[in-house]
């Protein structure tokens, strides 16, 4: 894997993590929060 690919992959992962954190903060019901966590786990693995 080239240096540029590593940087791009890390940047994408950071962006996804920030988006998930933002969604979790703005989620007002526990059910929505659980759904978001399930989606996040699917993306992380």
């Amino acid at each position: 894997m080239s240096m540029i690919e590593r940087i791009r992959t890390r940047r994408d992962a950071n962006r996804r993590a920030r988006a998930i954190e933002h969604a979790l903060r703005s989620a007002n019901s526990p059910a929505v929060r659980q759904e978001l966590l399930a989606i996040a786990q699917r993306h992380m693995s």
Side-chain angles (χ1 to χ4, degrees), residues 17-29 33 36:
R18 272 200 312 273
I20 290 167
E21 285 174 13
H22 179 73
L24 283 171
R25 273 197 298 273
S26 60
N28 29 14
S29 74
R33 203 167 283 128
L36 287 166

Side-chain angles (χ1 to χ4, degrees), residues 27-44:
N28 29 14
S29 74
V32 173
R33 203 167 283 128
Q34 286 301 108
E35 280 297 313
L36 287 166
L37 287 172
I39 292 167
Q41 283 179 335
R42 220 174 297 139
H43 278 287
M44 296 301 165

